[in-house]
Amino acid sequence: MNIVVCIKQVPDTKGGVKFNPDGTLDRASMLAIMNPDDKAGLEAALRIKDETGAKVTVLTMGLPKADAILREAMAMGADDAVLVTDRVLGGADTWATSTTIAGALRNLDYDLIITGRQAIDGDTAQVGPQIAVHLGLPVISYAEDIKVDGDSVVVKRQYEDRYHVVKAKMPCLITALSELNEPRYMTPGGIFDAFDKEVTVWGRADLKDVDDSDLGLKGSPTKIAKASDKVPKGAGEKVNLDPTESVNYLMEKFKEKHII
Amino acid sequence: MGLEEYKGVYIYAQQVDNKLSDIAFELVGKAKELAADLNTEVTAVLLGSNVKALATELGEYGADKVIVVDNPALETYRTEPYAQALVSVINEYKPEIMLVGATAIGRDLGPTVSARVKTGLTADCTKLEIGDFPINAMPGQEQKHNQLLMTRPAFGGNTIATIACPDNRPQMATVRPGVMQKLPKEAGRAAEVIEFNPTLEENNRYVEIMDIVKAVGNVENIMDAKVLVSGGRGVGSAENFEMLRDLASCFKGGMVSCSRAAVENGWLAQDYQVGQTGKTVRPQIYFAIGISGAIQHVAGMEESDLIIAINKDEDAPIFDVADYGLVGDLKKIVPQLTAALKEANADA
């Protein structure tokens, strides 16, 4: 059985966010990590590998430095790695990103594709389901448990107030929640091996059945009209009144804000 | 086909167990504003099995039209039949704008549908308005009017981006629940109901639902709370947290949380602690009651949409991040506030 896990290199938002003097994000000075939901997806794939001997391939689209997360994935136990990188792919929205990744996936054998639910930089949760559309696969989003059962997968699919146990025939695509598991560490031996292994690098020419008009900034239906860093929160109003007046004051504010 | 053929503001009216989700009404409320700017109508799209009766409620909350796709395949949410149904509605009726709630359903349905109709989708919007793209006219570039400008936080909430979809239709957005306001219910206001029966083709993308497990209510996670009433050292005792629970119960999705001091005093379990060594929360309303506002606490709650502080020390640092700060005795203010909210809820 072949599993492909799509992973993304993202800036670590947990360690705090830094801005350049011009107010844009200072990505260079922030730590780059494997996106947490993707890492859970990778761990799920590796557990299936432990049980069934499946082959696990990791694939990312990004800058050449995204090689680092592919090595990390191999040090955790992934067998193969693919880096899709090309200048013409830059500036992509989720439509163009999913088109690109689907174009790369068409070159690979897969029974199961796993992506994270969402990346912590864009927070859209769109790329996984959109890849499934491009490849004509069933999609199960928000997986908190994945089991292989013969030629099917059985997945616990999370909703706000419930979960569904859902069964799909392979090939299919699953988006993983970070709650799914506790990802394993890299092993020292694994790290050495990971750096001896070859990462397959693909560019635009290697994407199968993809139109130029669907790639990169040019192929993105959504356009950024304006971007700014969030204004730091300042102090609001402070009042020193007797208790009844304080309550009246707050109730007025709630009415203004349509809270009540 | 020209983009000008696409007309009307459409919303996906999410229902679960044949009950409309709040987000459906919130989207109708926002869609009314957008439709007024565009001089057009609001259409709600209702997908399900035996759901036609729900159209009445959508009309009462402001929908002008309701398109109902009623099909046994739509009884429980599954991506494939729902996506087929919504894509069919879009292809048949050609909406200019299509809004979907950013729920666990909407964030699956939205991207599946937008990819199939090949249009743009902006995720988790917090603000929607009609405007020009580019926002300021640029030489050599056509400035399009009456575009949907979609504003959303990105990058863990550290940046705000405004996004347009100038060349594809419909302009699609998912919208964060709880951000938009529903309109007051107008009893007797009726929407025009259109029954639409596209063929839903069963294919390899159908999945089988083997079990549905509804969550038990007593598992509380303060990170899921819409409103948090948080207490610190100033609350004084475990018993006094009852006042905070009463206040929290006035809000749908309200829960109690606390500062590290309250945990150290044994008043509440560590699961309820907000801050650097506790949980990071982003509720719509955060009450900081008897909490001084040390940086370690503030780090865990400063992203809350609205912060209300109650503290007797007017120099407490919590007032530096509070939208509304009340200087005074929490033991007097909190019970009175609870009483006032209960009264307001009873009137609503």
Side-chain angles (χ1 to χ4, degrees):
Chain A
M1 161 177 189
N2 292 302
I3 307 175
V4 183
V5 186
C6 300
I7 61 179
K8 185 181 183 188
Q9 189 180 46
V10 294
D12 186 2
T13 48
K14 242 191 257 157
V17 173
K18 295 183 182 70
F19 293 98
N20 293 314
D22 66 357
T24 58
L25 280 168
D26 182 4
R27 286 174 187 263
S29 77
M30 282 185 282
L31 203 62
I33 56 167
M34 192 190 308
N35 182 55
D37 283 352
D38 305 353
K39 203 165 180 173
L42 173 60
E43 175 63 29
L46 294 173
R47 288 185 190 184
I48 296 170
K49 176 183 170 175
D50 292 343
E51 269 176 44
T52 68
K55 182 183 165 202
V56 176
T57 303
V58 283
L59 182 145
T60 194
M61 159 186 171
L63 297 171
K65 70 168 187 174
D67 182 78
I69 57 163
L70 295 173
R71 303 279 173 193
E72 183 185 350
M74 288 195 287
M76 286 169 67
D79 300 289
D80 279 330
V82 179
L83 171 65
V84 182
T85 187
D86 200 319
R87 266 188 197 181
V88 299
L89 305 175
D93 73 354
T94 63
W95 163 267
T97 300
S98 59
T99 304
T100 301
I101 294 175
L105 285 166
R106 286 190 189 100
N107 295 311
L108 298 170
D109 286 326
Y110 53 78
D111 301 291
L112 187 57
I113 297 169
I114 303 179
T115 74
R117 167 198 43 181
Q118 69 188 64
I120 57 173
D121 53 354
D123 287 330
T124 70
Q126 294 174 6
V127 172
Q130 293 184 340
I131 293 170
V133 170
H134 297 309
L135 298 177
L137 301 176
V139 59
I140 305 173
S141 308
Y142 285 67
E144 51 177 320
D145 187 50
I146 303 171
K147 284 197 177 63
V148 173
D149 177 15
D151 61 353
S152 299
V153 279
V154 177
V155 177
K156 216 167 133 182
R157 199 283 194 204
Q158 189 194 72
Y159 293 91
E160 283 87 356
D161 62 342
R162 67 191 65 193
Y163 64 84
H164 292 177
V165 179
V166 174
K167 188 173 184 174
K169 272 239 157 65
M170 292 191 275
C172 78
L173 187 145
I174 295 171
T175 82
L177 297 175
S178 51
E179 292 97 300
L180 185 67
N181 51 43
E182 198 63 54
R184 67 192 64 188
Y185 292 107
M186 299 182 278
T187 60
I191 295 171
F192 276 107
D193 292 346
F195 280 88
D196 290 336
K197 281 186 186 166
E198 195 131 328
V199 166
T200 305
V201 180
W202 285 339
R204 164 68 188 96
D206 301 298
L207 303 178
K208 203 166 164 186
D209 298 335
V210 169
D211 283 342
D212 282 331
S213 61
D214 289 328
L215 296 175
L217 184 63
K218 209 172 46 150
S220 298
T222 58
K223 315 276 180 202
I224 294 178
K226 195 170 75 181
S228 51
D229 56 311
K230 203 171 163 189
V231 183
K233 189 163 169 45
E237 297 175 23
K238 180 164 72 173
V239 296
N240 194 341
L241 305 163
D242 78 45
T244 309
E245 286 174 52
S246 288
V247 168
N248 290 342
Y249 161 82
L250 202 51
M251 292 297 285
E252 265 321 300
K253 296 294 178 189
F254 283 165
K255 273 173 205 150
E256 277 173 31
K257 295 228 160 210
H258 305 286
I259 291 164
I260 52 169
Chain B
M1 145 160 18
L3 298 185
E4 63 283 354
E5 286 183 48
Y6 288 78
K7 295 249 186 304
V9 181
Y10 281 51
I11 68 114
Y12 169 61
Q14 178 180 312
Q15 59 81 22
V16 178
D17 296 341
N18 287 26
K19 188 176 175 299
L20 285 163
S21 307
D22 273 343
I23 184 71
F25 305 119
E26 294 167 19
L27 292 179
V28 171
K30 184 70 213 182
K32 286 296 264 190
E33 286 174 28
L34 300 173
D37 287 348
L38 293 169
N39 197 18
T40 181
E41 290 179 318
V42 174
T43 304
V45 182
L46 180 58
L47 313 178
S49 178
N50 295 317
V51 288
K52 204 180 148 191
L54 301 177
T56 314
E57 245 185 305
L58 289 163
E60 289 176 334
Y61 279 96
D64 300 305
K65 289 180 183 165
V66 180
I67 295 173
V68 185
V69 181
D70 209 304
N71 189 309
L74 303 173
E75 188 183 343
T76 304
Y77 178 77
R78 283 177 297 168
T79 313
E80 182 61 22
Y82 269 72
Q84 280 188 27
L86 193 53
V87 166
S88 301
V89 169
I90 289 171
N91 289 339
E92 177 75 18
Y93 295 94
K94 300 184 174 42
E96 185 174 7
I97 291 172
M98 178 85 232
L99 306 181
V100 178
T103 59
I105 287 177
R107 298 177 96 226
D108 181 63
L109 182 62
T112 303
V113 169
S114 71
R116 287 201 192 176
V117 301
K118 194 180 172 180
T119 191
L121 172 66
T122 304
D124 292 17
C125 296
T126 52
K127 189 174 151 193
L128 296 169
E129 59 199 325
I130 302 298
D132 298 334
F133 180 81
I135 293 172
N136 300 309
M138 282 156 70
Q141 190 180 341
E142 182 200 355
Q143 191 183 31
K144 298 188 173 188
H145 306 298
N146 290 331
Q147 302 293 304
L148 181 64
L149 300 180
M150 301 167 271
T151 299
R152 64 170 303 235
F155 210 82
N158 293 292
T159 55
I160 302 286
T162 300
I163 290 162
C165 178
D167 303 315
N168 298 68
R169 291 292 179 268
Q171 304 162 90
M172 285 184 69
T174 62
V175 177
R176 253 177 85 172
V179 175
M180 307 302 175
Q181 304 302 329
K182 57 180 169 188
L183 296 167
K185 187 172 171 171
E186 226 180 285
R189 187 186 179 287
E192 179 192 342
V193 177
I194 301 160
E195 290 182 58
F196 178 55
N197 298 305
T199 310
L200 304 181
E201 170 214 350
E202 184 155 350
N203 58 22
N204 69 313
R205 283 163 282 175
Y206 270 61
V207 299
E208 184 190 341
I209 296 179
M210 304 176 70
D211 199 6
I212 296 174
V213 181
K214 291 180 190 171
V216 266
N218 58 6
V219 187
E220 275 194 323
N221 182 354
I222 59 169
M223 292 172 77
D224 299 334
K226 295 220 161 63
V227 175
L228 277 176
V229 179
S230 206
R233 196 184 306 277
V235 174
S237 69
E239 291 71 42
N240 283 347
F241 265 89
E242 277 311 312
M243 286 189 304
L244 275 58
R245 285 195 187 93
D246 276 349
L247 177 54
S249 72
C250 298
F251 296 95
K252 199 180 167 204
M255 290 183 205
V256 164
S257 59
C258 67
S259 71
R260 183 167 174 163
V263 174
E264 284 174 350
N265 281 311
W267 299 338
L268 232 53
Q270 222 249 324
D271 291 346
Y272 296 94
Q273 184 193 324
V274 172
Q276 216 158 32
T277 54
K279 289 176 173 159
T280 301
V281 296
R282 286 178 88 162
Q284 288 160 17
I285 308 177
Y286 187 88
F287 287 91
I289 299 178
I291 292 174
S292 64
I295 182 76
Q296 291 81 357
H297 183 77
V298 169
M301 45 63 82
E302 62 188 335
E303 296 294 327
S304 306
D305 295 343
L306 185 71
I307 299 170
I308 297 158
I310 305 175
N311 205 299
K312 65 175 193 288
D313 173 10
E314 65 178 299
D315 297 322
I318 193 71
F319 289 120
D320 297 340
V321 296
D323 297 274
Y324 303 124
L326 307 181
V327 181
D329 182 355
L330 69 94
K331 294 184 192 74
K332 290 183 179 140
I333 295 173
V334 173
Q336 284 199 33
L337 180 61
T338 305
L341 283 166
K342 282 188 176 157
E343 199 178 314
N345 283 344
D347 292 346

